[in-house]
Amino acid sequence: AQTVTQSQPEMSVQEAETVTLSCTYDTSESDYYLFWYKQPPSRQMILVIRQEAYKQQNATENRFSVNFQKAAKSFSLKISDSQLGDAAMYFCAYRSTNFGNEKLTFGTGTRLTIIP
Amino acid sequence: NAGVTQTPKFQVLKTGQSMTLQCAQDMNHEYMSWYRQDPGMGLRLIHYSVGAGITDQGEVPNGYNVSRSTTEDFPLRLLSAAPSQTSVYFCASMTTKKYGYTFGSGTRLTVV
């Protein structure tokens, strides 16, 4: 079974600065997807960014980028130019590409606080 | 498109009561699932379905039932509510033609 570990329960960053959230995972599969989800106080789960394991290039979405290290099974999220609206819980998640096993496995989350 | 619609948004139950959390999606997604979110534990899979008429257990299925009679609907039934089922419940759907899940807005359930 796959596991996802987020070792930072809480992080804080000064507005406009850069912060990196860590995520490691364990799997025996060679092809899979990795995701970062944001959960603001509204409770809605919002997809921030995704990475396909067979792609070596790190995914980017505007101010959000990942550092995907497949051999190390590491998938960190970098938020540049942090904004007050980035304050939220962030969850790392894993999904297999195997049919019938498309469930998401989540980490325990990192609460990000933005300091004005 | 409404996406994934969950009802109710809030619910308080007494121990031993039963209820059904509703989930509907209008995107013709094959895959639907239910998660519960507890502090410090992330989201854990309760039950999932890969298509109408097919369901299976996830990580924490005890005390919950599901059925999938149509592609659109995937209700979650609490048979006899217990305080340990106090949680936030999310329904999510996905098409296997793409990669990402669409989540409902969640149901906060309190069992007293």
Side-chain angles (χ1 to χ4, degrees):
Chain A
Q2 295 82 22
T3 59
V4 177
T5 301
Q6 293 179 251
S7 59
Q8 307 155 313
E10 296 182 353
M11 293 279 287
S12 61
V13 63
Q14 216 55 43
E15 192 176 2
E17 296 296 309
T18 296
V19 64
T20 298
L21 309 184
S22 300
C23 173
T24 59
Y25 58 94
D26 188 29
T27 184
S28 58
E29 298 177 331
S30 59
D31 196 16
Y32 45 86
Y33 295 112
L34 295 166
F35 305 89
W36 279 98
Y37 280 89
K38 171 185 178 182
Q39 187 181 43
S42 67
R43 202 169 68 197
Q44 185 68 43
M45 294 290 289
I46 302 166
L47 177 63
V48 175
I49 199 166
R50 72 172 177 103
Q51 176 77 43
E52 296 164 63
Y54 67 88
K55 290 186 177 180
Q56 292 185 340
Q57 185 173 5
N58 288 326
T60 61
E61 289 286 344
N62 300 315
R63 298 182 294 107
F64 299 87
S65 61
V66 299
N67 183 4
F68 173 50
Q69 302 289 328
K70 190 173 184 180
K73 297 180 181 175
S74 171
F75 183 61
S76 60
L77 174 70
K78 185 172 81 172
I79 305 174
S80 304
D81 185 25
S82 299
Q83 300 175 359
L84 294 178
D86 295 333
M89 282 289 288
Y90 286 82
F91 292 97
C92 179
Y94 172 103
R95 202 208 97 185
S96 172
T97 59
N98 293 332
F99 177 76
N101 192 26
E102 294 93 342
K103 65 178 181 179
L104 282 173
T105 300
F106 286 89
T108 52
T110 297
R111 182 174 301 280
L112 178 64
T113 300
I114 311 297
I115 303 168
Chain B
N1 285 350
V4 178
T5 302
Q6 279 185 246
T7 56
K9 294 193 184 305
F10 301 93
Q11 183 71 49
V12 178
L13 286 180
K14 294 182 178 179
T15 297
Q17 287 184 316
S18 62
M19 79 159 295
T20 299
L21 305 185
Q22 302 291 344
C23 176
Q25 52 94 5
D26 60 358
M27 299 170 286
N28 202 31
H29 284 177
E30 307 93 327
Y31 196 89
M32 297 186 74
S33 53
W34 277 100
Y35 290 84
R36 61 177 288 173
Q37 181 180 13
D38 301 294
M41 303 189 74
L43 282 78
R44 294 180 292 167
L45 183 66
I46 305 171
H47 285 287
Y48 65 98
S49 168
V50 298
I54 306 170
T55 63
D56 206 345
Q57 296 180 351
E59 184 183 354
V60 287
N62 292 342
Y64 308 95
N65 272 357
V66 292
S67 60
R68 184 106 179 261
S69 57
T70 67
T71 299
E72 295 78 18
D73 300 301
F74 190 47
L76 178 72
R77 298 181 186 85
L78 280 69
L79 309 173
S80 177
S84 60
Q85 293 178 305
T86 293
S87 187
V88 178
Y89 292 84
F90 286 95
C91 179
S93 74
M94 184 192 75
T95 173
T96 52
K97 301 177 182 64
K98 292 189 177 181
Y99 53 82
Y101 278 79
T102 300
F103 281 82
S105 56
T107 297
R108 180 174 292 279
L109 175 68
T110 303
V111 182
V112 298

